[in-house]
Amino acid sequence: FAICFLQLGGCAWVAGADYYLLVYSMFAGDIVAGSWWKAILSTSYALVGLLSVPVLAKLSQRFGIWRVLVGVFSLNALGGLAKWLLFTPDIGYWLLLDALLCSPAWTAMVMLIPPLLTKTSRVSLQHEASQNEADCKNESSAYGEGSGLYHWVVSGSGAIAMLLAGATLNWSGFSAELGAAQSEQTLLLLRLVLAGGTFACSLGILLLLARLRCYPSFRSVHDGHY
């Protein structure tokens, strides 16, 4: 759940800065050009996300979900560093490298995390039953609670991301009235939020994955094969 929060809340929050960098930094306030490239980038994210589904499924069957998640978020961390260079003027189609590096992380959240939660919950439930069978809840109840909490975290993360995105714009000094005359400090801060925030959230997720490996209930599902 902490992993979900960092990706769906943290990375979604900092990703809100990309549109403003496209329009006001890369295209000097040209909303039409900036919006066009935002559409291209979003489409690239969608296409890479779709193409990564069979790839992640195949890799998780062979290596396990934990190893695939480590690989995906290592790639996402690299993508965070790359954003510092990609969201600059005259970068051209190199900008699409952003989607190639970062889109698989979004696919992994909806594809790999739910089955991993289910498998780990089953083993924890069996362990609890062996300790005190009389007080053990039935499986459907346990899975229902886990699913409900997962969707609560997803919804809450999205709401927090939107609130933080708005606060970040105010904090950076951005003003729509200035148009293309945004200060260099404002644009620099937005680049730092986008690149540094993505890297920091990805690093936090990698640390959580390392911690997760320490739990016997997680190791007992063989890293959770998809």
Side-chain angles (χ1 to χ4, degrees):
F1 293 135
I3 290 172
C4 292
F5 180 78
L6 281 175
Q7 177 64 21
L8 302 177
C11 286
W13 153 46
V14 300
D18 66 353
Y19 175 76
Y20 300 94
L21 288 172
L22 281 166
V23 172
Y24 297 100
S25 177
M26 299 175 66
F27 293 99
D30 188 337
I31 296 178
V32 174
S35 298
W36 171 251
W37 275 95
K38 174 62 175 177
I40 292 176
L41 183 60
S42 298
T43 302
S44 299
Y45 261 83
L47 290 175
V48 173
L50 288 173
L51 293 173
S52 64
V53 169
V55 175
L56 294 182
K58 187 67 175 179
L59 290 175
S60 63
Q61 288 172 358
R62 181 171 182 179
F63 301 107
I65 291 178
W66 183 85
R67 292 181 180 87
V68 174
L69 285 174
V70 169
V72 163
F73 284 104
S74 295
L75 198 65
N76 207 50
L78 179 61
L81 296 177
K83 288 176 187 290
W84 182 262
L85 301 175
L86 294 176
F87 284 82
T88 53
D90 302 320
I91 195 67
Y93 282 95
W94 282 104
L95 179 65
L96 302 185
L97 183 62
D98 178 46
L100 189 62
L101 293 173
C102 296
S103 182
W106 297 100
T107 303
M109 295 308 300
V110 296
M111 180 179 172
L112 302 182
I113 294 296
L116 185 60
L117 287 171
T118 300
K119 289 175 181 289
T120 306
S121 297
R122 182 182 296 116
V123 174
S124 298
L125 189 63
Q126 291 170 350
H127 176 73
E128 183 182 352
S130 65
Q131 297 296 321
N132 189 356
E133 186 173 356
D135 295 332
C136 182
K137 297 180 180 179
N138 60 63
E139 289 193 10
S140 61
S141 175
Y143 299 157
E145 290 176 1
S147 177
L149 184 54
Y150 170 75
H151 289 290
W152 184 89
V153 171
V154 170
S155 300
S157 298
I160 291 173
M162 288 188 288
L163 289 173
L164 289 177
T168 299
L169 280 178
N170 292 330
W171 167 71
S172 69
F174 175 84
S175 174
E177 296 177 354
L178 294 176
Q182 305 295 329
S183 70
E184 292 186 5
Q185 181 181 6
T186 293
L187 298 177
L188 180 63
L189 285 172
L190 289 176
R191 280 180 67 204
L192 182 61
V193 166
L194 179 62
T198 302
F199 177 78
C201 290
S202 300
L203 183 61
I205 290 172
L206 290 172
L207 293 174
L208 287 170
L209 286 169
R211 178 61 178 166
L212 184 63
R213 194 74 185 275
C214 298
Y215 288 92
S217 62
F218 181 78
R219 293 198 304 270
S220 63
V221 297
H222 307 291
D223 295 340
H225 290 271
Y226 186 72

